[in-house]
Amino acid sequence: MTRSSSPANGLLFALASASLYGFNIVYARIASFAGASGSAIVVYRVFLMLVLVGIVAAVTRSSLKAAREERGTLLLLGVSTAFVGLCYLSSVAFIPVTVAAVVFYTFPILIVLASPFVEGTRLTPALLGVVALATLGVALVVGPAFGVLDWHGLALAFAASIATAIQFFAAARCCRTGIIAKTFWIHLLVFPTAALISLAAGQLAPPSALALAPFAVAMTIGGYIIGFVLQFVALGRITAVAAGIIYCAEPVVAALSSALILNETLAPLQVAGGALVLAAIIAKVLLDQRHLKDAPLVPIAD
């Protein structure tokens, strides 16, 4: 199916995917309250994804072969993807979902700042303005509550942002390997990385630990898997610009969900800061419109 064949459906798939990712982090926080660590959830959801991808590959007889010249890039992509999930899901054990989401969503700005060094692009005044806007927004969100926020959570959320930026640059250089094969190899690399990190942190609990919060764990794992699949479905139907704007709904959904489900609140200045970060991300996407009209959105696994 071509991208232009069903753009309306593509927008709906992307919105559903972004919403599931937003719900995902809220239920990860609920699971952490019950004792199911974010790193353990990542390990088991990656294992389940591997099983499902293997079944799909067998049924469709799809090749799982990775392009030889992209194997090193796939390794970096897998490791960075592991750190995205581990750091982001673990951050909400220390800080509110709304704060974690805003800090995490600084990754588009990090990509802008790093692109001159990684890809040789030029920083324009407009892009610098976007960076300044987002930086101000993050300062407003974190600043008023910095004294009461656990620095571990802030560090983990920002580490997830850095890992996502690395993931984007690596994924941009990995275009010869098929989607099913790429998904398989990414998760095959994520699994031992996540397991080793979880083991080193003393958080690699047996599967029975997931029963501490069965509904929250099911929502977290299910939201990730279904959101990941819908993301790939959406990318074949809409442009990168449209998808980028739709995926900006994820932190908004996370904030609204945390307010409704967890009764988390933000001060007016923090709400304004979150709005500035979201505005900066949307502005960045719109600035890229003339250059990226037909480019695919790089898939994120959070």
Side-chain angles (χ1 to χ4, degrees):
M1 179 178 292
T2 61
R3 175 180 293 161
S4 60
S5 62
S6 54
N9 288 339
L11 290 173
L12 290 176
F13 285 133
L15 182 59
S17 174
S19 298
L20 286 168
Y21 284 154
F23 283 123
N24 176 54
I25 193 65
V26 174
Y27 283 100
R29 182 165 173 80
I30 295 174
S32 72
F33 290 156
S37 70
S39 59
I41 292 174
V42 169
V43 171
Y44 292 118
R45 79 179 187 184
V46 168
F47 176 76
L48 183 57
M49 177 66 94
L50 271 174
V51 172
L52 293 175
V53 171
I55 293 173
V56 170
V59 171
T60 60
R61 297 183 179 180
S62 301
S63 173
L64 295 178
K65 184 177 181 181
R68 181 181 296 274
E69 64 272 22
E70 293 182 349
R71 290 175 183 175
T73 306
L74 271 174
L75 176 61
L76 178 60
L77 187 55
V79 173
S80 62
T81 300
F83 275 92
V84 172
L86 286 167
C87 293
Y88 192 27
L89 264 65
S90 297
S91 70
V92 295
F94 302 97
I95 57 176
V97 168
T98 45
V99 176
V102 170
V103 174
F104 174 66
Y105 265 82
T106 58
F107 72 82
I109 309 307
L110 296 180
I111 291 172
V112 172
L113 292 175
S115 60
F117 305 98
V118 179
E119 297 182 336
T121 57
R122 186 171 61 90
L123 283 180
T124 64
L127 286 180
L128 291 175
V130 168
V131 171
L133 187 65
T135 302
L136 175 60
V138 172
L140 289 175
V141 170
V142 179
F146 189 80
V148 297
L149 290 177
D150 192 318
W151 70 268
H152 294 88
L154 293 174
L156 284 167
F158 191 61
S161 178
I162 295 173
T164 303
I166 295 173
Q167 182 192 58
F168 261 62
F169 286 123
R173 290 164 171 74
C174 188
C175 54
R176 292 182 178 274
T177 304
I179 290 178
I180 293 178
K182 189 183 300 184
T183 302
F184 174 80
W185 286 108
I186 286 174
H187 286 83
L188 188 65
L189 291 166
V190 168
F191 183 70
T193 304
L196 287 173
I197 293 174
S198 186
L199 184 63
Q203 296 181 336
L204 187 56
S208 59
L210 301 182
L212 294 171
F215 181 74
V217 169
M219 290 294 288
T220 301
I221 295 177
Y224 167 76
I225 292 176
I226 299 174
F228 193 90
V229 172
L230 289 178
Q231 183 179 358
F232 275 107
V233 173
L235 296 179
R237 292 168 166 80
I238 56 177
T239 64
V241 173
I245 293 174
I246 290 296
Y247 274 90
C248 288
E250 182 183 339
V252 176
V253 171
L256 292 175
S257 300
S258 64
L260 293 172
I261 299 172
L262 300 176
N263 294 319
E264 291 183 355
T265 58
L266 287 177
L269 272 180
Q270 291 176 293
V271 174
L276 286 179
V277 173
L278 187 59
I281 295 170
I282 293 174
K284 170 62 176 70
V285 173
L286 293 177
L287 283 173
D288 285 346
Q289 184 169 8
R290 65 183 72 120
H291 304 295
L292 300 176
K293 285 182 179 179
D294 297 318
L297 181 69
V298 178
I300 310 173
D302 67 343

